[in-house]
Amino acid sequence: MSRKYLIAGNWKMNKTATETVDLIKEINSTVGSQTNVQVCVCPPFTSLAKASELVDQSEVLLGAQNMCAQPSGAYTGEISAEMLRDLYVSFVILGHSERRQFYGETNESVNKKVLAAVENNLKPIYCIGETLEEREAGQTLDIVRSQVREGLENFPANAIDSLVVAYEPVWAIGTGKTATDEMAQEVHADIRKVLVEMFGDSAASTVRILYGGSMKPENAAGLLSQPDVDGGLIGGASLTSRAFSGIVEAALAG
Ligand code: 13P
C-alpha cells in the first residue's frame, strides 16, 4: 500500500490573520502547485477565514488545531466541526500534547472529538506520544498503545482512510531533540500493529502516521525514509516558508 506523504504545519499560537496572508502566499508560491505530497497548514482559528481564501488558489489544504466535540450550543469559546467545514477546513489536529498538558485533555475526551470530526467529514490528525519520564521508564510502547486504543475507540471502519495519527514524543517537541530515524520507525511500526489489531490489515495500511517533534529540513529526509513514517507534523519549522518548503521538498524527493 503506498501512502501519499502528508506534511502538515501546526502553527500553534503564532501568526495574526495579517501575517497568515504573507506566509500562505509564500507557501503557495514555493510548493503550492505540486500534487505528489499533500501539504496542509493549520493556523489559529482567527486566521482560518483568510487562509481559506488563499489556499483555494493552490493545492495546499487547510487544517485547524482543535475542535469542540459538541455540535452547537452553550459552549462559550468553543468552535464546532460545522464551523470548520464552512471554512473549507479538511483536517483537524486533536489531542496535541500541549492540549493534554495545559488543558486537561485525555484519551477519553479526545476520543469524543475524533468521532465528532469524522462524523462531520473532517480528517482527524490524532496526536499521541510519551513524555521523557515515560520513555526513561521504558513505558513508551505501553503509553502509545493505550493512546491509540482509547483515543480511537469506536472509530468507524468505513472512514479509516480519513484517519491520520501523529506520533510526537513530548520530549522532542520544541526542544531541538529529534527521535532518531530508528526510534521513530520502532514506534510507528508498533502503532500500525495496534491499528491492524483494531481495524484489520488492509485498513491499517491506509492510515498515515506522521512524525512530529523538531522536524526540520536537515533531518526530514532520514525520518521520511522510514517505511512507517508517512509525513510530518511540523511546529517551529512551519513558521517560515523556507523551512516548511524545505521539508516538503525532502518528502517530494523521498
Ligand atoms: P516542533 O516542530 O516545534 O518541535 O513542534 C512539533 C509539534 O508539536 C507539532 O505539532
Side-chain angles (χ1 to χ4, degrees), residues 107 110-111 114-115 126 128 141-161 163-165 188-207 209:
N107 293 340
V110 180
N111 176 247
V114 168
L115 298 182
Y126 173 56
I128 58 176
L141 297 183
D142 286 343
I143 293 290
V144 166
R145 284 173 191 157
S146 54
Q147 288 171 331
V148 174
R149 291 198 172 284
E150 293 168 23
L152 298 178
E153 200 178 332
N154 298 322
F155 193 94
N158 62 359
I160 196 77
D161 58 353
L163 174 64
V164 178
V165 175
H188 282 228
D190 201 70
I191 293 167
R192 199 172 309 281
K193 233 166 75 185
V194 179
L195 294 172
V196 168
E197 286 161 22
M198 293 176 77
F199 304 105
D201 260 323
S202 86
S205 72
T206 68
V207 177
I209 307 177

Side-chain angles (χ1 to χ4, degrees), residues 8-12 93 96-98 127 166 168 172-177 211-216 233-238:
N10 174 8
W11 294 9
K12 308 191 181 184
I93 298 170
H96 190 279
S97 66
E98 288 147 16
C127 300
E168 302 203 305
I173 296 178
T175 59
K177 292 185 196 148
Y211 170 81
S214 300
M215 198 190 249
K216 35 188 183 277
L233 184 55
I234 324 296
S238 71

Side-chain angles (χ1 to χ4, degrees), residues 41-60:
V41 291
C42 307
F45 289 134
T46 46
S47 291
L48 287 174
K50 276 245 159 68
S52 181
E53 293 165 17
L54 291 165
V55 298
D56 197 37
Q57 301 160 22
S58 74
E59 299 294 333
V60 175

Side-chain angles (χ1 to χ4, degrees), residues 156-187:
N158 62 359
I160 196 77
D161 58 353
S162 71
L163 174 64
V164 178
V165 175
Y167 169 58
E168 302 203 305
V170 178
W171 48 269
I173 296 178
T175 59
K177 292 185 196 148
T178 322
T180 63
D181 304 346
E182 295 72 27
M183 278 158 94
Q185 171 57 23
E186 182 198 15
V187 181

